[in-house]
Amino acid sequence: MCRLPAVLIVASAVLPSLAHAASPHPAPPPDPDHGWYVAGKGGPSLEMLSGASGHAGSAPLTETDATNAVGAFGMAGGYEWSYRYHIPLRTELEFMNRTEMTYDASPLQKGGSGALASTVQNVTTMAKAYWHFPVGSTRWWPFVSGGVGWAHNTVKSEYTASGQAASKNTHAEDSVAWTVGAGATFKLGPQVMNDIEIRYVDLGSVDWGLPADRNVSVSGPGGLSATELVFSLRYMF
């Protein structure tokens, strides 16, 4: 959860020019022929798993946290409201796929000898909104963003109990995801925009789906989260 304040601090640094706004509309001059867009997205994602809990009696886990750098790639489609309606708002539906992060606990519980090796892979679908701020330029403008949607987390694991053969398992969990962020849009051409955004994403809950006496789960706000730097290329039509 410490990453959320960091994102808000970045937001306040990105938007210092609001007090000196020279134009009521930060987007290019309205053009009723434009508004809809499609976008490709990608960038690094620093994923963090925290507060993993086990269910094997009173024995705590040896590893309750994990942090990995993974890749985030996706696409989006949306509408820019400033062109026709003179509102500095952009709304979109975003789909993002993140590569696998590892979580290993060997041994799984303190005082035990069972070992766990696993990966968590996340997919999110979100409804997002971007509010733009005027800086007196038609070439670039800052924004803040927020969104809510659905997270699908898939765990692939291999658990080896003491004196037994390894057991492989795949388990999926669905839950609510949300995000807040800040960034800037740069106009590359009449119909081409580049967005750079730093954001915090709550990626929902995770369940390993192991036997009840050895299962592992992560839930609650920030249980599985990410801080991401996302680059988007948008084509207006």
Side-chain angles (χ1 to χ4, degrees):
M1 294 300 294
C2 63
R3 290 197 173 93
L4 180 54
V7 170
L8 298 179
I9 291 172
V10 171
S12 64
V14 169
L15 308 176
S17 54
L18 297 183
H20 305 285
S23 168
H25 305 300
D31 182 348
D33 293 332
H34 292 162
W36 295 102
Y37 67 85
V38 292
K41 299 189 174 191
S45 175
L46 184 64
E47 285 192 22
M48 184 174 73
L49 180 152
S50 61
S53 59
H55 307 287
S58 60
L61 299 182
T62 58
E63 298 288 343
T64 59
D65 305 307
T67 301
N68 292 159
V70 302
F73 308 94
M75 62 186 68
Y79 188 75
E80 183 80 71
W81 294 80
S82 60
Y83 287 91
R84 182 182 293 272
Y85 300 102
H86 310 285
I87 302 172
L89 173 69
R90 176 161 59 92
T91 54
E92 71 176 28
L93 183 64
E94 176 197 84
F95 173 83
M96 294 293 288
N97 181 81
R98 295 166 181 86
T99 56
E100 295 179 336
M101 71 167 290
T102 60
Y103 168 70
D104 298 334
S106 182
L108 181 58
Q109 274 89 22
K110 291 181 179 179
S113 57
L116 173 69
S118 62
T119 61
V120 181
Q121 195 268 328
N122 170 269
V123 174
T124 55
T125 302
M126 287 193 180
K128 295 194 65 183
Y130 303 81
W131 189 265
H132 297 274
F133 295 95
V135 292
S137 173
T138 60
R139 304 301 303 177
W140 79 279
W141 45 94
F143 61 78
V144 292
S145 65
V148 64
W150 162 79
H152 183 75
N153 294 313
T154 302
V155 178
K156 296 179 181 178
S157 62
E158 181 176 301
Y159 173 67
T160 307
S162 178
Q164 300 181 28
S167 174
K168 295 184 179 181
N169 181 60
T170 299
H171 188 79
E173 182 85 358
D174 295 318
S175 56
V176 174
W178 57 270
T179 180
V180 292
T185 294
F186 300 89
K187 183 178 179 181
L188 303 183
Q191 294 173 255
V192 182
M193 308 290 176
N194 173 226
D195 304 311
I196 301 176
E197 178 187 15
I198 183 169
R199 64 188 187 183
Y200 170 87
V201 191
D202 188 301
L203 300 174
S205 59
V206 186
D207 192 310
W208 270 250
L210 298 173
D213 63 340
R214 285 291 183 269
N215 195 32
V216 178
S217 64
V218 173
S219 61
L224 181 63
S225 61
T227 298
E228 301 180 329
L229 182 62
V230 180
F231 300 90
S232 304
L233 191 64
R234 288 191 286 128
Y235 177 77
M236 312 288 296
F237 61 90

